[in-house]
Amino acid sequence: MAEPLVDLRGRSCLVTGAASGIGRATAELLVRLGAQVVAADVDADGLARLTARTAMREDAPGDAGGEVVTLVCDVTVPEDVRRMVDQAVTRFGRLDVAVANAGILPLSDLAETSPEDWDKVMAVDGKGMFLTCKYAIEAMAGQPRGGAVVCVSSISGLAGQARQAAYGPAKFVASGLTMHLAVEWADRGIRVNAVAPGTITTERVQALQDEPGGPEYLDVMARSHPLGRLGEPEEVARAIAFLASDAASFITGVVLPVDGGYLAR
Ligand SMILES: NC(=O)c1ccc[n+]([C@@H]2O[C@H](COP(=O)([O-])OP(=O)(O)OC[C@H]3O[C@@H](n4cnc5c(N)ncnc54)[C@H](O)[C@@H]3O)[C@@H](O)[C@H]2O)c1
């Protein structure tokens, strides 16, 4: 039988924001692809649900039998992020892949956004992404095989949108880190890429239905994706797994839209 194109058997991976949405779909897919995954989040209950779901998965054809360990970790706290990286290295011997996914997604225009709101989103989506890249790459730098980082940016990290006055600029941090770190670390065998999802039906996006202006926003977004629908977390997870794998061995510095054609309009 031919080798699978995306093969992560035995790879040591970490995923931040793994208790929900895109992060959970990614952690679950990496496990099915054979990876050993440290799944980190601030949400301990959500992590417990991830562990239970992973343990109960059926032996589907193509399941390469990876494993997951969970860790409560706040990506805004440097000691937490260091501990997360140490966990992967201690437990699995090295760190091959880091998926910097944790984020908060406020929907507000400039007038509605307070200086405190700005600090809050920049702490998680900005500094948290920086810290994850920093400590993951420092661990990968000493390894013969280097490593791969995948940041989760957004269509809002590549183009302007209304009502994303703090969130949008924070996602530009993910896109910017990706390009700058890709160039800085390429000679040490570390690839840094990102995905830029369109609107994806995660728990967070579903909750927008109950927020002021949320239903109107979702209605516009559904019509703005040329494929005619919102995306699924698993569809983003597949792009992340590809970029993390050796199938993407000559790809670095890319911010890959996973957006049903949104940015192509
Ligand atoms: N859903 C979308 O439409 C969409 C689109 C583009 C980009 N994104 C990006 O995808 C990523 C995941 O979003 P999602 O929609 O899956 O959201 P989500 O709310 O479903 O999941 C985010 C996870 O991050 C965790 N988290 C929040 N703050 C944290 C912290 N300080 N430390 C550790 N974990 C933390 C949450 O507990 C949650 O489990 C985010 O970076 C977001 O910006 C989402």
CSV table of all heavy atoms in Angstrom, one decimal, residues 15-28 39-43 45-50 53 101-103 105 201-206 233:
chain,number,residue,atom,x,y,z
A,15,VAL,N,-0.4,21.5,20.4
A,15,VAL,CA,-1.5,22.3,19.9
A,15,VAL,C,-2.0,23.2,21.0
A,15,VAL,O,-2.4,22.7,22.1
A,15,VAL,CB,-2.6,21.5,19.3
A,15,VAL,CG1,-3.7,22.4,18.8
A,15,VAL,CG2,-2.2,20.5,18.3
A,16,THR,N,-2.0,24.5,20.8
A,16,THR,CA,-2.6,25.4,21.8
A,16,THR,C,-4.1,25.7,21.5
A,16,THR,O,-4.5,25.6,20.3
A,16,THR,CB,-1.8,26.7,22.0
A,16,THR,OG1,-2.0,27.5,20.8
A,16,THR,CG2,-0.4,26.5,22.2
A,17,GLY,N,-4.9,26.0,22.5
A,17,GLY,CA,-6.3,26.2,22.3
A,17,GLY,C,-7.0,24.9,21.8
A,17,GLY,O,-7.9,24.9,21.0
A,18,ALA,N,-6.6,23.8,22.4
A,18,ALA,CA,-7.0,22.5,21.9
A,18,ALA,C,-8.3,22.0,22.5
A,18,ALA,O,-8.7,20.9,22.1
A,18,ALA,CB,-5.9,21.5,22.1
A,19,ALA,N,-8.9,22.8,23.4
A,19,ALA,CA,-10.1,22.3,24.0
A,19,ALA,C,-11.4,22.5,23.2
A,19,ALA,O,-12.4,22.0,23.5
A,19,ALA,CB,-10.3,23.0,25.4
A,20,SER,N,-11.2,23.2,22.1
A,20,SER,CA,-12.5,23.6,21.4
A,20,SER,C,-12.1,23.9,19.9
A,20,SER,O,-11.0,24.1,19.6
A,20,SER,CB,-13.0,24.9,22.1
A,20,SER,OG,-14.0,25.6,21.3
A,21,GLY,N,-13.1,23.9,19.1
A,21,GLY,CA,-13.1,24.5,17.7
A,21,GLY,C,-11.9,23.9,16.9
A,21,GLY,O,-11.7,22.7,16.8
A,22,ILE,N,-11.2,24.8,16.2
A,22,ILE,CA,-10.1,24.4,15.3
A,22,ILE,C,-9.0,23.7,16.0
A,22,ILE,O,-8.5,22.7,15.5
A,22,ILE,CB,-9.6,25.7,14.6
A,22,ILE,CG1,-10.7,26.3,13.7
A,22,ILE,CG2,-8.3,25.4,13.8
A,22,ILE,CD1,-10.3,27.7,13.1
A,23,GLY,N,-8.7,24.1,17.2
A,23,GLY,CA,-7.6,23.5,18.0
A,23,GLY,C,-8.0,22.0,18.3
A,23,GLY,O,-7.1,21.1,18.2
A,24,ARG,N,-9.2,21.8,18.7
A,24,ARG,CA,-9.6,20.4,19.1
A,24,ARG,C,-9.6,19.6,17.8
A,24,ARG,O,-9.1,18.4,17.8
A,24,ARG,CB,-11.0,20.4,19.7
A,24,ARG,CG,-11.4,19.0,20.2
A,24,ARG,CD,-12.7,19.0,20.8
A,24,ARG,NE,-13.7,19.4,19.9
A,24,ARG,CZ,-14.8,20.1,20.2
A,24,ARG,NH1,-15.1,20.4,21.4
A,24,ARG,NH2,-15.7,20.4,19.2
A,25,ALA,N,-10.2,20.1,16.7
A,25,ALA,CA,-10.2,19.3,15.5
A,25,ALA,C,-8.8,19.0,15.0
A,25,ALA,O,-8.5,17.9,14.5
A,25,ALA,CB,-10.9,20.1,14.4
A,26,THR,N,-7.9,19.9,15.2
A,26,THR,CA,-6.5,19.7,14.8
A,26,THR,C,-5.8,18.6,15.7
A,26,THR,O,-5.2,17.7,15.2
A,26,THR,CB,-5.7,21.0,14.9
A,26,THR,OG1,-6.3,22.0,14.0
A,26,THR,CG2,-4.2,20.8,14.5
A,27,ALA,N,-6.0,18.7,17.0
A,27,ALA,CA,-5.4,17.8,17.9
A,27,ALA,C,-5.9,16.4,17.6
A,27,ALA,O,-5.2,15.4,17.5
A,27,ALA,CB,-5.7,18.1,19.4
A,28,GLU,N,-7.2,16.3,17.4
A,28,GLU,CA,-7.8,14.9,17.1
A,28,GLU,C,-7.3,14.4,15.7
A,28,GLU,O,-7.0,13.2,15.6
A,28,GLU,CB,-9.4,15.1,17.0
A,28,GLU,CG,-9.9,15.3,18.4
A,28,GLU,CD,-11.4,15.4,18.5
A,28,GLU,OE1,-12.1,15.6,17.4
A,28,GLU,OE2,-12.0,15.3,19.6
A,39,ALA,N,-1.8,18.6,24.1
A,39,ALA,CA,-3.0,19.5,23.8
A,39,ALA,C,-3.1,20.4,25.0
A,39,ALA,O,-3.4,20.0,26.1
A,39,ALA,CB,-4.3,18.6,23.7
A,40,ALA,N,-3.0,21.7,24.7
A,40,ALA,CA,-2.9,22.7,25.8
A,40,ALA,C,-4.1,23.7,25.7
A,40,ALA,O,-4.5,24.1,24.6
A,40,ALA,CB,-1.6,23.4,25.8
A,41,ASP,N,-4.6,24.1,26.8
A,41,ASP,CA,-5.7,25.1,26.8
A,41,ASP,C,-5.8,25.7,28.3
A,41,ASP,O,-5.4,25.0,29.2
A,41,ASP,CB,-7.0,24.4,26.4
A,41,ASP,CG,-8.0,25.4,25.8
A,41,ASP,OD1,-8.5,26.3,26.5
A,41,ASP,OD2,-8.2,25.3,24.6
A,42,VAL,N,-6.6,26.8,28.4
A,42,VAL,CA,-6.9,27.3,29.7
A,42,VAL,C,-8.1,26.5,30.3
A,42,VAL,O,-8.4,26.6,31.5
A,42,VAL,CB,-7.2,28.8,29.8
A,42,VAL,CG1,-6.0,29.6,29.8
A,42,VAL,CG2,-8.1,29.2,28.6
A,43,ASP,N,-8.9,25.9,29.4
A,43,ASP,CA,-10.1,25.2,29.7
A,43,ASP,C,-9.9,23.7,30.1
A,43,ASP,O,-9.9,22.9,29.2
A,43,ASP,CB,-11.1,25.4,28.5
A,43,ASP,CG,-12.4,24.7,28.7
A,43,ASP,OD1,-12.6,24.1,29.8
A,43,ASP,OD2,-13.2,24.7,27.7
A,45,ASP,N,-11.9,21.6,31.7
A,45,ASP,CA,-13.0,20.7,31.4
A,45,ASP,C,-13.0,20.4,29.9
A,45,ASP,O,-13.3,19.2,29.6
A,45,ASP,CB,-14.4,21.4,31.7
A,45,ASP,CG,-14.5,21.7,33.2
A,45,ASP,OD1,-13.8,21.0,34.0
A,45,ASP,OD2,-15.3,22.5,33.6
A,46,GLY,N,-12.8,21.3,29.1
A,46,GLY,CA,-12.7,21.1,27.6
A,46,GLY,C,-11.6,20.1,27.3
A,46,GLY,O,-11.8,19.2,26.4
A,47,LEU,N,-10.5,20.2,28.0
A,47,LEU,CA,-9.4,19.2,27.7
A,47,LEU,C,-9.8,17.8,28.2
A,47,LEU,O,-9.4,16.8,27.5
A,47,LEU,CB,-8.1,19.7,28.5
A,47,LEU,CG,-7.4,20.9,27.9
A,47,LEU,CD1,-6.3,21.3,28.9
A,47,LEU,CD2,-6.9,20.7,26.5
A,48,ALA,N,-10.5,17.7,29.3
A,48,ALA,CA,-11.0,16.4,29.8
A,48,ALA,C,-11.9,15.8,28.7
A,48,ALA,O,-11.9,14.6,28.5
A,48,ALA,CB,-11.7,16.6,31.1
A,49,ARG,N,-12.8,16.6,28.1
A,49,ARG,CA,-13.7,16.1,27.1
A,49,ARG,C,-12.8,15.6,25.9
A,49,ARG,O,-13.2,14.6,25.2
A,49,ARG,CB,-14.7,17.2,26.6
A,49,ARG,CG,-15.8,17.4,27.7
A,49,ARG,CD,-16.9,18.2,27.1
A,49,ARG,NE,-16.6,19.6,26.8
A,49,ARG,CZ,-16.5,20.6,27.7
A,49,ARG,NH1,-16.9,20.4,28.9
A,49,ARG,NH2,-16.2,21.8,27.3
A,50,LEU,N,-11.8,16.4,25.5
A,50,LEU,CA,-10.9,15.9,24.4
A,50,LEU,C,-10.3,14.6,24.7
A,50,LEU,O,-10.3,13.7,23.8
A,50,LEU,CB,-9.8,17.0,24.2
A,50,LEU,CG,-8.7,16.6,23.2
A,50,LEU,CD1,-9.2,16.5,21.8
A,50,LEU,CD2,-7.5,17.6,23.2
A,53,ARG,N,-13.0,11.9,24.3
A,53,ARG,CA,-13.3,11.7,22.9
A,53,ARG,C,-12.2,10.9,22.1
A,53,ARG,O,-12.5,10.0,21.3
A,53,ARG,CB,-13.5,13.1,22.1
A,53,ARG,CG,-14.8,13.8,22.4
A,53,ARG,CD,-14.7,15.2,22.0
A,53,ARG,NE,-14.4,15.4,20.6
A,53,ARG,CZ,-15.3,15.8,19.7
A,53,ARG,NH1,-16.5,16.1,20.1
A,53,ARG,NH2,-15.0,16.0,18.4
A,101,ASN,N,-2.5,28.0,18.0
A,101,ASN,CA,-3.9,28.2,17.6
A,101,ASN,C,-4.7,29.1,18.6
A,101,ASN,O,-5.6,29.7,18.2
A,101,ASN,CB,-4.5,26.9,17.4
A,101,ASN,CG,-6.0,26.9,17.4
A,101,ASN,OD1,-6.6,27.3,16.4
A,101,ASN,ND2,-6.7,26.6,18.5
A,102,ALA,N,-4.3,29.0,19.9
A,102,ALA,CA,-5.2,29.7,20.9
A,102,ALA,C,-5.5,31.1,20.5
A,102,ALA,O,-4.6,31.9,20.1
A,102,ALA,CB,-4.5,29.6,22.3
A,103,GLY,N,-6.7,31.5,20.7
A,103,GLY,CA,-7.1,32.9,20.4
A,103,GLY,C,-8.5,33.2,21.0
A,103,GLY,O,-9.3,32.3,21.2
A,105,LEU,N,-11.8,35.7,20.1
A,105,LEU,CA,-12.4,36.4,18.8
A,105,LEU,C,-13.4,37.4,19.2
A,105,LEU,O,-14.6,37.1,18.9
A,105,LEU,CB,-12.9,35.3,17.9
A,105,LEU,CG,-12.0,34.2,17.3
A,105,LEU,CD1,-11.7,33.1,18.3
A,105,LEU,CD2,-12.6,33.6,16.1
A,201,THR,N,-17.3,27.2,11.6
A,201,THR,CA,-18.4,27.0,12.5
A,201,THR,C,-17.9,26.3,13.8
A,201,THR,O,-18.2,25.2,14.1
A,201,THR,CB,-19.5,26.1,11.9
A,201,THR,OG1,-18.9,24.9,11.5
A,201,THR,CG2,-20.2,26.8,10.8
A,202,THR,N,-17.1,27.1,14.5
A,202,THR,CA,-16.6,26.6,15.9
A,202,THR,C,-17.6,27.0,16.9
A,202,THR,O,-18.5,27.8,16.7
A,202,THR,CB,-15.2,27.2,16.2
A,202,THR,OG1,-15.3,28.6,16.2
A,202,THR,CG2,-14.2,26.8,15.1
A,203,GLU,N,-17.3,26.6,18.2
A,203,GLU,CA,-18.2,27.0,19.3
A,203,GLU,C,-18.2,28.5,19.4
A,203,GLU,O,-19.3,29.1,19.6
A,203,GLU,CB,-17.6,26.4,20.6
A,203,GLU,CG,-17.9,25.0,20.8
A,203,GLU,CD,-16.8,24.1,20.2
A,203,GLU,OE1,-16.2,24.5,19.2
A,203,GLU,OE2,-16.6,22.9,20.7
A,204,ARG,N,-17.1,29.2,19.2
A,204,ARG,CA,-17.0,30.6,19.3
A,204,ARG,C,-17.9,31.3,18.3
A,204,ARG,O,-18.6,32.2,18.6
A,204,ARG,CB,-15.5,31.1,19.2
A,204,ARG,CG,-15.4,32.6,19.2
A,204,ARG,CD,-15.8,33.2,20.5
A,204,ARG,NE,-16.0,34.7,20.3
A,204,ARG,CZ,-17.1,35.3,20.4
A,204,ARG,NH1,-18.3,34.7,20.5
A,204,ARG,NH2,-17.2,36.7,20.3
A,205,VAL,N,-17.8,30.8,17.1
A,205,VAL,CA,-18.6,31.5,16.0
A,205,VAL,C,-20.1,31.1,16.2
A,205,VAL,O,-20.9,32.0,16.0
A,205,VAL,CB,-18.0,31.0,14.6
A,205,VAL,CG1,-19.0,31.3,13.5
A,205,VAL,CG2,-16.7,31.7,14.3
A,206,GLN,N,-20.4,29.9,16.6
A,206,GLN,CA,-21.8,29.6,16.9
A,206,GLN,C,-22.4,30.5,18.0
A,206,GLN,O,-23.5,31.0,17.9
A,206,GLN,CB,-22.0,28.2,17.3
A,206,GLN,CG,-21.9,27.3,16.0
A,206,GLN,CD,-21.6,25.8,16.3
A,206,GLN,OE1,-21.3,25.4,17.5
A,206,GLN,NE2,-21.5,25.0,15.3
A,233,PRO,N,-14.4,23.1,11.2
A,233,PRO,CA,-13.1,23.0,11.9
A,233,PRO,C,-12.1,21.9,11.3
A,233,PRO,O,-10.9,22.2,11.1
A,233,PRO,CB,-13.4,22.6,13.3
A,233,PRO,CG,-14.8,23.2,13.5
A,233,PRO,CD,-15.5,23.1,12.2
